[in-house]
Every structure is written in C-alpha cells, then in structure tokens.
C-alpha cells in the first residue's frame, strides 16, 4: 500500500473548518445529533428523502460523518462508495441509546478515532476504536502528521508483531516513542535491502514491500516570478527542480517569497495544490540574506537582490537547488535542519481528572520524558512503549532542566513534567533559561495547587491575590519578608507555597504575625494538604487561632484579606469588596 497524499490536515470538529455531517433515522438519533451540532459550529444535520440518501449526501459533501444508525445498515449503504482511505470521509457510528461511538472508517487517515472520542465525550458514550496500533498503544505510521509512502500495512504489522524494524533517518526528528523492536539503522544509502525499514528522508529512495518512507518537513522552496505567472508554470518548474535534485515534494515545509508576491495567484495556487503554506518576507529582510547568485535587476524590481534563494534561506538551512528559472518564474530549494520539541507540561495537583487532555496528548507525543521521580510515577501508565524516562529526585531541578533542553536540542520530542502548572514555582523558568532558538517550546498549562486548594476552601481568591513562596532556598529571607509585608499592607489575599518544613519551622509564624498586624484577628486562614490526592486534608481557622504546626511542605496556606469571610464553613472573598449579606 502506498500513500502519497499532500500535506492535508483534518481539523478536529470543534476547532476548525471541518465539515461534519450528522445523519439520524429516529427521534432519539436526531436528539443526539442536535447535541453535537450545538457543540460544533461546523456540524449540520443532513436531511434527505430517506436516511440512506442522507448518508450518501453526507459522504460526498462532508469531511466526516456521524451516523445514528445500526453499523450493518451503514456498511450496506457505504460499501459501494468506498474509494481511497486518504480521501474518504471519516465515519463514526453511534447506537440508538448513544452508548457507543464506533470509529467505522478512516480511523487514522480520516481522524475517525479522534472523532469517536470527541463524540463519546459529548454524549457520555464509550468510544470504540479497533485499529491495531491504537489497541496496543502504539503510534500509527500514518498518524504522525507527515506524508507516508510505501508498505504502511506490512511495516505496521511487523512493528505490532515485534519483528525487528530498522529506523533509518537522515537526521534526528522529534518523532514520538517507538517500541523497542524499532531500532536505529545506518544512514540511508548504506542500508541492506532485507528486513523491514522505516526511512525518514526528504530524498527520493527506492521503496519495496517492506519499506515505509516518512517525509519530514525539511524543504523550503523559494519562489520568485513575474506578475501574472501561471500556476502551471510555477508547479512544473518546482517539480522539475526537485526531481533533478532527487528530492521529494512531500517534504516541502512551505513555499516562500517576497511580500509583494503574497497575492500572486500562480504562487498561491501552487502552494494550495501542494497543501503547504506560503510565507512571505519584506524585501529588506531578504536583502540581508547572503546568497550565491544576487541580481541587481531583481533588486531594482522588488528591492532585494534575490527572491528565490533568499526566501529559501531566510531561516537558515543549506541551499540544495540554486535558483533555476523558467520564462516567468524562479525557484530555489533549501534543506532546513530538524528542530527539537520541548513540551513543558503541568500535570495538575495530583488527581488524574484534574490533568488536562492537552497534557496527556503531549506525554503521549514525547519520546523522552523528564521529571521529578514522584511526578513521573504519576503518569507512567500514559507513556507509550519505548518512551525514554529521565527521572531524578528532589534538589535536581537544574539538572532536569538542562537534560530536557539538551535532549530537545538533539532533535528529540521531549516532555518536561512538573506538578500543578509548570510555570508556577516549577520547571518552566529554569528550562527556558537554557532553551534557545534551535528548539520549539510548547507550554501546557496545568491546574495549580493554589487553584485546587482555593476550590476546596470555597472562594478565597475572588478578588486580588498574590502567590508567595516561603522557601529561602533560592530567595533570601529578607527579600521574602519585604514581599510579605507589601502583600499584607496592600490587603491582598495571600497564597503561601512551601510554607513550612523541618528546617524552616518558624518562618510561617512570623509571616502570619505580619499579616495579623494589618488585618482583623477574625480574618480566615485555610490550609489544604495534598489537594486532590487520596490523603487530602482541609483545615480552617483565623489569624487569631491558626496553629502553624499543622502545616508541612505538602500544604498550601491561604490567608484572607480584611474582606474575606467564613460563610457556611467556606472562605469567601467578595468581588469588588462590597459585601452583600
């Protein structure tokens, strides 16, 4: 099986222009369909003379179809319409009682597996996914977001069966974790021809019935043209230049040109046909790029001595195809090095249901996971087979930050995990001190300990508040004292992280005394220990009665403002400081 589809991207129903057709035969089905339509702006109920006609209409006009009908009936209607799984719409079938959402067609290539999960979430149903790789928690070769060519089914089966598979790549790309039977091989061009292989390359290579080629987005094609250039001429010139250099158009990351060509229809149409974006740059920026073939004629016309070569090289890279011309167009092609990927992931306060779906997705996308050992242990069940784990103990924060950045700089897909939100007293700051422009950084917000504690206490942060850490490991105590005094004088609700430990047993009492000097003795004070975890505990008192010895490093202390009250056993800070009683 060979797949050479362009870089087409199927958006999820709730986030993009993904046309979802909803087909229902009964009143219950239509009721469930309306639930989906209310949640998805681009979903619509498809009406026709009969349900079979409605299903056929949805099949030909939509990117995805959700059918409220028996699976057998759907199969009988759609069987004559099946074409190519790369272009056929995804189909999800939901039973009359909305108990199951079955990914029937286009599980990987069409996005039906993801669609089934989203349908199930909205209807409180159970997603049913039967694709083999999903069943054993492996990434499908056709789900990595890159064009794939060759024997996808045969190589996928070899991976599933545990047979040796060589991964042969021209460079290290941020792929997700692959199982241990997929192991690195020699560079392309040096590999033996026997056995199963996954090749990662932008070069045209021979493909047999045991080889899959993944096309990484490594090539940037710079394009210049005369006004009114036909799209056919640009397309033909580009494909000829790539073919002469032995490069695959499936590895094009984008077309690039000068700003004045942003509306050039021939260039735009070529980009659309290839399924890649068109990026344009100001002439002044392109004129600063060192190119081998500058032209004063081009400078006089558009303000830069090079368009094609300069645009291809604007973000660095190596020029593989110097500018080549047709009657009205010029093309140049550069190869760009892979960029590693560092996801800084907040895991939330501890409970699995307070962990965001985005955090889970990033953990499953990563080939390397770095974190504090106890946090990594919380998510080991989410990691794909073959994920490399770099765990360390307390006090090794800087080492973890350096390791995560180093792995990403080497080209890997890395997740650096932390409790709560990684940007709040956690790993984002030290990691980003070392990260540079060679890697892509993705921040994944998490539910903080403060938010989890505040929810348990009531509504203590309904007005202005401040986070303060009482740990003097990185901040001198006199600085902490000044900040505490400022917060107390400003009448801010204070959320105190790292409030007390065996080595710091007096500081919390001193801090509470500072707040007591500015607030009434009946001001509520709450402490939550291990918020959202099995041994969670909540304690409420006032500034006058609070005992600091009930607090340790697993607790978070919330000191109310002068307006915070206890109502029904809960801390409440009124919005606008206007108490309505």
């Amino acid at each position: 099986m060979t797949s050479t589809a362009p870089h087409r991207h199927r958006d999820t129903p709730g986030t993009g222009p993904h046309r979802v057709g909803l087909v229902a035969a009964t009143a219950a089905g239509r009721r469930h369909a309306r639930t989906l339509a209310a949640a998805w702006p681009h979903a619509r109920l498809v009406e026709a003379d009969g349900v079979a006609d409605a299903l056929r209409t949805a099949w030909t006009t939509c990117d995805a179809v959700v059918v409220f009908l028996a699976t057998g009936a759907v199969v009988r209607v759609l069987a004559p319409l099946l074409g190519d799984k790369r272009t056929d719409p995804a189909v999800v079938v939901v039973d009359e009682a909305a108990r199951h959402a079955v990914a029937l067609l286009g599980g990987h290539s069409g996005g039906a597996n993801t669609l089934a999960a989203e349908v199930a979430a909205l209807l409180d149903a159970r997603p049913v996914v039967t694709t083999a790789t999903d069943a054993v928690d492996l990434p499908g070769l056709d789900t990595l977001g890159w064009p794939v060519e060759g024997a996808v089914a045969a190589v996928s089966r070899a991976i599933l069966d545990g047979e040796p598979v060589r991964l042969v790549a021209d460079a290290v790309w941020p792929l997700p974790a692959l199982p241990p039977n997929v192991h690195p091989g020699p560079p392309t061009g040096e590999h033996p021809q026997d056995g199963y292989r996954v090749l990662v390359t932008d070069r045209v290579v021979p493909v047999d019935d045991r080889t899959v080629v993944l096309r990484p987005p490594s090539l940037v094609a710079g394009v210049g043209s005369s006004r009114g250039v036909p799209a056919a001429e640009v397309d033909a010139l580009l494909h000829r230049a790539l073919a002469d250099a032995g490069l695959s158009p499936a590895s094009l990351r984008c077309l690039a040109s000068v700003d004045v060509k942003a509306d050039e229809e021939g260039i735009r149409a070529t980009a659309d046909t290839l399924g890649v974006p068109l990026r344009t740059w100001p002439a002044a920026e392109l004129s600063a790029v060192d190119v081998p073939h500058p032209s004063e004629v081009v400078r006089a016309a558009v303000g830069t001595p090079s368009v094609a070569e300069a645009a291809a090289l604007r973000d660095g890279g190596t020029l593989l195809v110097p500018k080549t011309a047709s009657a009205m167009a010029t093309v140049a092609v550069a190869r760009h090095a892979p960029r590693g990927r560092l996801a800084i992931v907040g895991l939330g306060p501890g409970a699995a249901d307070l962990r965001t779906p985005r955090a889970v997705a990033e953990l499953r996308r990563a080939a390397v996971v770095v974190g504090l050992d106890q946090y990594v242990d919380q998510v080991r069940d989410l990691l794909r087979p073959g994920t490399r784990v770099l765990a360390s103990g307390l006090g090794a924060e800087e080492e973890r930050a350096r390791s995560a950045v180093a792995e990403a700089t080497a080209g890997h897909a890395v997740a650096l995990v932390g409790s709560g939100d990684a940007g709040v007293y956690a790993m984002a700051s030290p990691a980003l001190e070392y990260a540079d422009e060679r890697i892509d950084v993705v921040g994944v917000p998490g539910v903080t300990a403060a938010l989890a504690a505040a929810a348990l206490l009531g509504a203590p942060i309904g007005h202005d508040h401040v986070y303060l850490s009482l740990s003097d490991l990185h901040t001198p105590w006199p600085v902490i004292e000044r900040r505490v005094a400022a917060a107390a004088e400003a009448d801010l609700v204070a959320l105190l992280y790292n409030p007390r430990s065996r080595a710091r047993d007096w500081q919390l009492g001193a801090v509470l005394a500072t707040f007591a000097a500015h607030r009434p003795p009946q001001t509520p004070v709450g402490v939550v220990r291990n918020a959202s975890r099995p041994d969670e505990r909540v304690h409420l008192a006032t500034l006058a009665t609070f005992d600091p010895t009930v607090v340790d490093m697993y607790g978070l202390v919330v000191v109310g403002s002068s307006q915070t009250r206890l109502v029904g056993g809960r801390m409440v800070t009124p919005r606008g400081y206007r108490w309505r009683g």
Side-chain angles (χ1 to χ4, degrees):
M1 178 177 61
T2 299
S3 174
T4 56
H7 303 188
R8 189 171 66 168
H9 176 74
R10 293 181 187 263
D11 294 304
T12 55
T15 59
H18 189 109
R19 296 166 298 173
V20 181
L22 309 174
V23 178
T26 66
R30 285 190 288 274
R31 185 172 64 252
H32 300 318
R34 285 193 292 271
T35 298
L36 300 185
W40 296 339
H42 303 290
R44 64 183 180 89
L45 187 64
V46 179
E47 304 279 9
D49 291 339
V51 67
D53 286 341
L55 182 51
R56 294 186 190 100
T57 299
W59 175 268
T60 57
T61 60
C62 297
D63 300 307
V65 184
V66 180
V67 191
F68 297 89
L69 197 63
T71 302
V74 176
V75 170
R76 283 190 291 272
V77 173
L78 294 183
L81 306 179
L82 294 177
D84 189 320
K85 73 175 187 177
R86 294 167 294 156
T87 53
D88 287 347
V91 177
V92 170
V93 178
V94 183
D95 62 280
E96 179 79 358
R99 290 174 298 186
H100 300 93
V102 182
L104 183 66
L105 293 171
H108 284 163
S109 55
N113 292 349
T114 300
L115 181 60
E118 295 183 357
V119 169
L122 286 170
L123 299 180
D124 196 23
R126 181 176 180 179
V128 179
V129 174
T130 59
T131 44
T133 49
D134 294 272
V136 295
D137 205 24
L138 296 177
L141 295 173
D142 52 355
T143 66
L144 302 180
W146 294 349
V148 57
E149 304 167 7
V152 177
V155 176
S156 296
R157 174 52 57 189
I159 294 174
L160 289 167
D161 290 345
E163 296 190 42
V165 177
R166 288 193 306 278
L167 176 67
V168 184
D170 290 338
V172 178
W173 286 89
L175 293 169
L178 295 170
N181 61 308
V182 181
H183 52 85
T188 31
E190 302 175 15
H191 51 271
Q193 295 302 308
D194 60 328
Y196 293 98
R197 301 174 297 160
V198 177
L199 309 183
V200 184
T201 181
D202 57 24
R203 296 186 291 123
V204 176
V205 292
V207 176
D208 55 34
D209 60 2
R210 291 188 163 203
T211 300
V212 159
V213 183
L214 292 175
R215 295 301 188 185
S218 56
L219 304 178
V220 175
V223 183
S225 74
S226 302
R227 183 59 68 183
V229 63
E233 181 175 341
V234 177
D235 184 80
L237 176 63
L238 176 57
H239 278 81
R240 184 169 69 250
L242 291 168
D244 290 346
L247 300 172
S248 170
S251 277
L252 282 171
R253 178 184 302 177
C254 66
L255 302 190
S257 191
V258 67
D259 273 354
V260 295
K261 297 299 178 183
D263 62 348
E264 188 65 56
E265 183 56 33
I267 299 177
R268 297 205 68 88
T270 301
D272 291 343
T273 299
L274 291 165
V276 300
L278 170 63
R279 298 187 66 188
T280 60
W281 304 98
E285 290 191 31
L286 295 184
S287 66
V289 178
D290 186 28
V291 297
H293 304 102
S295 166
E296 290 305 314
V297 174
V298 175
R299 185 198 298 273
V302 295
T304 171
S306 172
V307 172
E309 289 180 341
L313 292 168
R314 166 59 180 74
D315 288 330
T318 302
L319 193 65
L320 301 182
V321 179
K323 72 175 179 180
T324 181
S326 62
M328 299 182 67
T330 57
V331 164
V333 181
R335 175 184 288 141
H336 291 251
R339 294 174 61 84
R341 191 174 194 275
L342 175 61
I344 303 176
V345 181
L347 298 179
D353 58 354
L354 291 182
R355 192 182 300 140
T356 68
R358 189 176 299 181
V360 174
E362 287 296 342
L363 290 170
R364 296 176 63 73
R365 191 187 192 286
V368 183
V369 172
V370 183
L372 180 68
D373 46 15
Q374 58 185 286
Y375 298 152
V376 171
D377 288 342
Q378 294 176 15
V379 296
R380 283 187 186 272
D381 62 313
L382 300 174
L383 307 183
R384 291 192 186 276
T387 302
R388 188 154 48 95
V389 174
L390 304 178
S392 52
L394 287 169
E397 289 80 8
E398 187 158 340
E399 174 192 333
R400 286 195 289 275
R402 288 181 180 273
S403 295
V405 172
E407 291 287 342
T409 303
H412 300 295
V414 182
L416 175 61
V417 301
S419 183
D421 183 278
V424 179
Y425 300 125
M427 293 304 301
S429 294
L432 294 184
E433 287 186 50
Y434 299 115
D436 59 26
E437 67 281 351
R438 289 174 294 175
I439 64 175
D440 295 321
V441 176
V442 177
V444 181
V447 177
T448 65
L451 292 175
L456 291 166
L457 290 169
I461 55 176
H463 204 281
D464 296 341
H465 53 277
V466 60
Y467 288 18
L468 295 165
S469 171
L470 302 191
S471 171
D472 58 1
L473 184 62
H474 299 292
T475 306
W477 182 251
V479 174
I480 295 173
E481 284 185 307
R482 289 198 300 273
R483 292 173 179 173
V484 167
E489 186 174 354
D491 200 22
L492 297 170
V493 174
L495 300 103
L496 306 179
Y497 276 69
N498 307 309
R500 190 171 182 270
S501 69
R502 285 192 297 270
R504 292 185 292 103
D505 59 356
W506 60 269
Q507 285 92 334
L508 178 58
V511 165
L512 293 174
T514 300
F515 283 108
H518 294 271
R519 298 178 193 183
Q522 69 271 21
T523 299
V525 178
V527 59
V528 177
R529 188 180 192 275
N530 284 330
S532 86
R533 298 178 184 179
D535 53 350
E536 167 187 288
R537 289 209 309 268
V538 179
H539 176 71
L540 275 170
T542 66
L543 276 173
T545 63
F546 190 81
D547 178 7
T549 64
V550 303
V551 181
D552 61 16
M553 281 295 288
Y554 296 97
L556 186 141
V557 177
V558 181
V559 181
S561 72
S562 64
Q563 301 299 311
T564 305
R565 301 287 185 268
L566 287 176
V567 181
R570 289 177 288 270
M571 290 178 70
V572 181
T573 303
R575 294 182 63 188
Y577 280 176
R578 291 176 55 197
W579 187 252
R580 300 176 185 268

